[in-house]
Amino acid sequence: MEVAHRFFLLLFAGLLVASCRQESSVTEPVASPVIPPAIVVPPPPPYSEISLKAQGQRVPVIMYHDIIKERGRDAQWFDCTVDEFQEQLLRLETDGITPISLDQLYNHLTKGEQIPERSIVLTFDDNYQGFYDHALPILRAKNYPSAMFVHTGFVGKKEGLHPKMDWATLQELAKDPLITIGGHTISHPDDITKIPLEQQLKELNDSKAELEKQLGKPVPYFAYPNGMNDQKVQELTKAAGYTMAFSIQNGLAEESPTIFSVNRYVHTRFERALEEWERSTSGGALAAYLGPLKKSPVTFQEGTFENVKLALVKGGTPTSLMSETREGVLEFVKKTTGAVAGINGGFFAISDIRSSDNRMVGPMKTAAMPSVVPDEAKERWEKLRNRPVVLWGATGIGIVPFQPDTMRSHEAFVDFMPDVTDVLLTGVWLVHSGIPRTREQMDTFGAKDIQDFRRRAFLGVTADGEIVLGAATHSYTSEQVARAAAAAGLYEAVLLDSGFSTSLVYGQSIKASGHSTPTTPSRPIPHAIVVLGELDPVTASLGKADPVNPTAEDRPKRKRRKR
């Protein structure tokens, strides 16, 4: 009995413990899984440098000082008489040129915002009373915007032949939507780059603070006294809160080295400013072209267009490649998975056919490169300015005139095309909006030899976005090739490296070559453009490999020298 009693006690205790554990497991709170907060990636800051989007237009900025009634013995060379001023404004009306404000200029330069096709900016330095007395009534009558740059230490100075406006006058101007007031330091130092840092900071910061206090509005724009500036002063100007600053370097605004050193012409060079606008817009600054890329089977076509024999590869997805040394286009095609055609690419620095150097001219990026590599050879920058840069990504292709100072960062290209994968500098714009460029237009910024008779290669796109690799199978000038490319249906086209480098491949067959030697059809190159995709069944047979040992008939014929 005692054993049985102990057994029942143990059994009861076990059941009690089990029931307690079960109750505990039911009532004990269960911890919820920890979900990490979503990571919010802030958008990149707005692009604040001179944008590729602005490169389809050119704007001259004109700088005036005092506007005087007539030129007397004590007049300064930089003074402008009322008659001279009115004559220049009449020229604007006659030529259909529209003055725009500094806000419009800034938004155009940094965002590519639309402005009139022929725009100009009128600026005035040094706060002269002559602006208010003589220039302002004329500007208001024509509804022309303008800007006045003020050095605060001279406000209200009335002595001498060139009195300054006072704060009451400036406050009146600040309320006029046609007038923008900008900074110009306190004391107008002859060369702000050569004064001590402490004084530089005072000139930049205190003058801005005083202007904003007196005018009751932000002052985002600045003009360097005498145009003097360097990188250090530009950085201080930016740190002071300015967003755009002006020099007095001759040149068009879009071709400035930075948004903190925008070019300006002194008014005595007004005619030069208009001439350079005409030269730039007709010669190379045609557009900031951005169009679609259409995927289609890769076809091959040979034909004669405008008496020029062309070989054309159309369709596929383009990608560019760099070699560690140099090789033929056919080798680029063979070693690239999915490549079915190709052409020689951009220009390289060392033209010697025996060289294995792979350094390129201009900005460069292939899909394998993490970012754009800028052109570091400043000695050739001016020769390259306004030549077309081609860039493309997964769905689009762009062409813009090259600006060596402001196209040095990867961000500059991403601002224009967020998914950019490839960038290269080309020789000259051959066709724009379906219209061939003339010899005169191409010669403005092109190399001296672009009109020599050579076998020429080009890259283009049709109006609906089909990529085109093209080459002339005989020797022609670039002007002849431009007419032929337009006749062949290209909407945009640019010249690639040509002559001995020319090499167009379809499938495994070389369709055009530079004929450097009988057994080496084209010069080996460091850079090529290939297209990925599938050969169109209709023309696929034309891509069969060429004979391994070409017969005499296959080899390029060389003329014998007469002895």
Side-chain angles (χ1 to χ4, degrees):
M1 288 292 294
E2 185 177 352
V3 173
H5 179 70
R6 287 182 179 179
F7 171 77
F8 283 115
L9 285 176
L10 289 172
L11 179 62
F12 177 76
L15 292 171
L16 182 62
V17 170
S19 67
C20 290
R21 286 178 178 171
Q22 184 176 5
E23 183 179 354
S24 174
S25 64
V26 171
T27 58
E28 185 178 54
V30 178
S32 301
V34 178
I35 301 175
I39 299 175
V40 178
V41 179
Y47 194 68
S48 58
E49 256 299 346
I50 298 175
S51 174
L52 275 69
K53 299 172 186 175
Q55 290 304 326
Q57 291 181 266
R58 291 292 180 270
V59 178
V61 181
I62 309 298
M63 177 186 67
Y64 298 91
H65 286 83
D66 202 0
I67 305 298
I68 59 177
K69 196 169 183 180
E70 57 186 21
R71 190 169 297 283
R73 183 179 300 175
D74 296 323
Q76 300 293 324
W77 70 268
F78 49 77
D79 290 337
C80 180
T81 68
V82 172
D83 288 345
E84 291 167 345
F85 186 61
Q86 288 183 315
E87 183 179 346
Q88 291 186 353
L89 296 192
L90 179 61
R91 175 69 185 280
L92 301 185
E93 290 183 43
T94 303
D95 288 6
I97 303 172
T98 304
I100 61 173
S101 69
L102 291 191
D103 283 344
Q104 287 176 290
L105 178 67
Y106 178 78
N107 289 332
H108 161 64
L109 290 178
T110 60
K111 302 174 187 176
E113 287 192 3
Q114 190 69 31
I115 55 174
E117 181 181 356
R118 295 203 66 175
S119 294
I120 197 167
V121 176
L122 307 176
T123 68
F124 298 79
D125 283 14
D126 297 347
N127 188 36
Y128 288 109
Q129 183 69 35
F131 169 80
Y132 186 87
D133 295 340
H134 304 305
L136 186 59
I138 300 170
L139 293 168
R140 280 176 168 165
K142 296 178 181 295
N143 204 37
Y144 283 175
S146 61
M148 169 60 70
F149 293 105
V150 176
H151 41 18
T152 55
F154 293 87
V155 173
K157 301 290 184 182
K158 299 297 183 180
E159 61 272 12
L161 298 173
H162 298 277
K164 313 289 186 179
M165 291 182 281
D166 56 25
W167 284 117
T169 304
L170 291 172
Q171 288 161 2
E172 176 194 332
L173 294 180
K175 296 175 183 177
D176 189 332
L178 288 175
I179 309 298
T180 302
I181 294 178
H184 202 43
T185 70
I186 300 171
S187 67
H188 199 287
D190 290 337
D191 188 346
I192 194 172
T193 69
K194 293 187 171 144
I195 63 178
L197 174 61
E198 183 178 351
Q199 189 178 348
Q200 289 174 332
L201 293 171
K202 182 178 179 63
E203 294 282 356
L204 293 166
N205 291 286
D206 291 7
S207 61
K208 187 175 192 296
E210 181 68 11
L211 281 172
E212 292 177 339
K213 174 185 173 184
Q214 293 287 347
L215 304 179
K217 62 193 303 184
V219 177
Y221 308 125
F222 181 79
Y224 302 105
N226 300 322
M228 305 303 291
N229 70 94
D230 57 17
Q231 185 176 347
K232 174 188 170 187
V233 170
Q234 291 168 17
E235 291 170 355
L236 294 177
T237 303
K238 181 178 181 180
Y242 292 105
T243 57
M244 179 169 63
F246 294 86
S247 70
I248 55 171
Q249 181 67 39
N250 291 326
L252 300 161
E254 295 82 356
E255 299 178 11
S256 304
T258 168
I259 196 70
F260 285 97
S261 187
V262 177
N263 298 329
R264 285 196 298 173
Y265 297 89
V266 178
H267 83 277
T268 55
R269 292 171 178 167
F270 180 84
E271 288 297 328
R272 174 177 173 177
L274 299 189
E275 288 170 3
E276 292 190 355
W277 177 91
E278 182 68 36
R279 176 178 181 270
S280 186
T281 53
S282 65
L286 306 176
Y289 173 79
L290 184 60
L293 271 182
K294 169 188 172 184
K295 292 183 180 180
S296 60
V298 183
T299 65
F300 177 73
Q301 176 186 9
E302 278 186 305
T304 300
F305 305 88
E306 294 289 322
N307 299 316
V308 172
K309 294 182 178 181
L310 296 181
L312 302 169
V313 172
K314 295 182 179 180
T317 301
T319 189
S320 61
L321 305 166
M322 279 290 296
S323 170
E324 293 184 358
T325 56
R326 297 187 187 185
E327 50 198 302
V329 173
L330 184 57
E331 281 66 45
F332 278 103
V333 172
K334 286 180 177 180
K335 74 179 185 180
T336 306
T337 302
V340 295
I343 196 167
N344 56 289
F347 293 81
F348 39 100
I350 306 299
S351 60
D352 189 340
I353 194 170
R354 296 162 296 183
S355 175
S356 60
D357 189 286
N358 72 344
R359 286 173 294 172
M360 300 297 293
V361 174
M364 171 59 56
K365 185 184 184 307
T366 70
M369 294 178 179
S371 60
V372 176
V373 177
D375 190 306
E376 300 288 3
K378 292 186 177 182
E379 67 275 6
R380 65 184 175 218
W381 280 6
E382 286 310 308
K383 291 182 180 180
L384 305 179
R385 188 180 298 277
N386 285 323
R387 294 186 187 178
V389 171
V390 179
L391 61 158
W392 66 83
T395 58
I397 184 168
I399 309 174
V400 294
F402 178 50
Q403 300 307 319
D405 298 283
T406 53
M407 295 186 185
R408 294 180 47 74
S409 71
H410 184 69
E411 290 72 23
F413 293 91
V414 170
D415 173 65
F416 184 77
M417 182 181 290
D419 66 347
V420 61
T421 55
D422 298 77
V423 177
L424 71 147
L425 180 72
T426 61
V428 72
W429 216 315
L430 296 172
V431 180
H432 174 53
S433 296
I435 300 172
R437 308 288 289 155
T438 67
R439 180 185 188 122
E440 182 181 5
Q441 291 168 333
M442 286 189 279
D443 287 352
T444 304
F445 297 114
K448 294 179 180 179
D449 61 1
I450 62 170
Q451 303 302 344
D452 292 351
F453 283 86
R454 294 185 182 179
R455 301 187 181 214
R456 300 199 171 273
F458 56 91
L459 173 68
V461 65
T462 61
D464 63 353
E466 192 172 43
I467 200 74
V468 180
L469 313 180
T473 58
H474 292 71
S475 294
Y476 303 98
T477 67
S478 291
E479 184 180 36
Q480 291 174 310
V481 171
R483 290 198 299 263
L490 274 78
Y491 187 72
E492 303 288 340
V494 292
L495 183 70
L496 298 173
D497 194 11
S498 294
F500 287 161
S501 297
T502 299
S503 182
L504 178 66
V505 171
Y506 181 69
Q508 299 295 303
S509 176
I510 298 173
K511 297 301 184 183
S513 64
H515 292 339
S516 58
T517 70
T519 56
T520 307
S522 297
R523 168 171 50 192
I525 53 171
H527 179 259
I529 302 166
V530 302
V531 291
L532 312 177
E534 296 181 358
L535 297 183
D536 186 279
V538 176
T539 58
S541 62
L542 299 175
K544 291 181 180 179
D546 298 323
V548 176
N549 296 309
T551 65
E553 292 180 355
D554 295 322
R555 295 186 187 127
K557 296 178 181 179
R558 306 183 79 184
K559 293 182 180 180
R560 292 187 178 183
R561 295 182 182 177
K562 294 182 180 179
R563 300 197 178 196

